[in-house]
Amino acid sequence: EAQVTQNPRYLITVTGKKLTVTCSQNMNHEYMSWYRQDPGLGLRQIYYSMNVEVTDKGDVPEGYKVSRKEKRNFPLILESPSPNQTSLYFCASSFGRAPEQYFGPGTRLTVT
Amino acid sequence: GESVGLHLPTLSVQEGDNSIINCAYSNSASDYFIWYKQESGKGPQFIIDIRSNMDKRQGQRVTVLLNKTVKHLSLQIAATQPGDSAVYFCAENDFGNEKLTFGTGTRLTIIP
């Protein structure tokens, strides 16, 4: 089944404790992206990657890191999480610049 | 399920009626405009897209209209069903900066 998977689905952590949210897709997509979703703000792009070893900042990259060492994986790293990073996070992928992106199920992160 | 927006514009439609969801966009250089549907507890799902050189595109029970003069996009859903209840997002895709920018969403509720 073609899909984007994220882990964990739910995470509660404390300020300053490094964490990684994994994202994997099995569709051989070149483009992958991370979004955060907050009430009233819709989805905002954090980082994106056009291909392996190519990453770029989105609209809200501060406090986040990403890497793209393999085509199928695009982990999101929070080196020192803060409460303002409490949010619902989505990973997405697509073929090149195709407008249709496939989204993962989301990761609910709470930072206390 | 997850609450994706506490202050979203809302639209309630009787089952079987047609619905129209509207969206204003900001970037006149966008190449594609896309509609996504997000059901409670799930990631956004692609519905339909339209290129910037088109005015109208139809899919199964859905029609997207694009008015570039006033930077307005609409999604028409015909003969609505309970499964159409969701949050609907418009998005604009600018190939030049490789970004997908989402609107804040509209919550559609189908009344049985």
Side-chain angles (χ1 to χ4, degrees):
Chain A
E1 179 189 356
Q3 60 182 348
V4 178
T5 57
Q6 297 179 226
N7 281 292
R9 293 290 313 279
Y10 301 91
L11 178 59
I12 301 174
T13 190
V14 296
T15 298
K17 186 176 182 181
K18 180 179 178 179
L19 66 92
T20 299
V21 183
T22 65
C23 172
S24 183
Q25 51 91 6
N26 62 0
M27 295 168 278
N28 201 34
H29 286 165
E30 296 88 2
Y31 184 98
M32 297 187 73
S33 182
W34 276 102
Y35 298 88
R36 60 177 289 172
Q37 186 172 41
D38 302 290
L41 297 177
L43 287 123
R44 293 179 293 167
Q45 191 175 48
I46 303 170
Y47 269 95
Y48 64 95
S49 169
M50 289 298 294
N51 216 322
V52 176
E53 301 292 358
V54 180
T55 63
D56 279 294
K57 296 178 180 179
D59 295 317
V60 288
E62 292 77 22
Y64 304 95
K65 288 176 58 178
V66 293
S67 68
R68 188 88 182 275
K69 293 183 170 54
E70 303 167 283
K71 196 172 188 179
R72 64 182 293 130
N73 297 322
F74 191 45
L76 179 69
I77 303 156
L78 284 72
E79 295 271 3
S80 183
S82 62
N84 65 12
Q85 293 178 298
T86 292
S87 188
L88 180 58
Y89 291 87
F90 288 100
C91 180
S93 71
S94 65
F95 284 113
R97 294 177 173 178
E100 180 177 358
Q101 291 196 10
Y102 294 79
F103 282 80
T107 295
R108 169 66 73 183
L109 172 65
T110 302
V111 183
T112 61
Chain B
E2 300 289 353
S3 173
V4 298
L6 299 179
H7 307 291
L8 291 175
T10 58
L11 175 65
S12 296
V13 175
Q14 204 74 34
E15 182 179 353
D17 287 351
N18 300 334
S19 69
I20 300 176
I21 301 170
N22 296 303
C23 175
Y25 66 90
S26 57
N27 184 2
S28 57
S30 292
D31 302 280
Y32 270 94
F33 301 89
I34 311 111
W35 282 99
Y36 282 86
K37 172 186 180 183
Q38 187 174 25
E39 296 175 273
S40 181
K42 297 183 179 180
Q45 181 180 17
F46 173 89
I47 302 174
I48 191 169
D49 65 353
I50 186 169
R51 288 192 67 122
S52 60
N53 61 355
M54 299 172 66
D55 299 319
K56 179 180 180 179
R57 190 173 186 206
Q58 289 183 288
Q60 186 177 14
R61 285 201 305 120
V62 295
T63 301
V64 57
L65 299 178
L66 176 63
N67 185 332
K68 293 181 288 294
T69 302
V70 295
K71 295 183 182 175
H72 184 267
L73 187 68
S74 68
L75 177 71
Q76 301 177 1
I77 305 174
T80 53
Q81 304 167 358
D84 294 330
S85 290
V87 176
Y88 289 82
F89 293 94
C90 65
E92 46 186 312
N93 189 348
D94 180 352
F95 287 170
N97 62 21
E98 298 168 341
K99 286 175 57 177
L100 188 64
T101 303
F102 284 81
T104 53
T106 297
R107 185 182 301 279
L108 175 66
T109 301
I110 306 303
I111 305 167

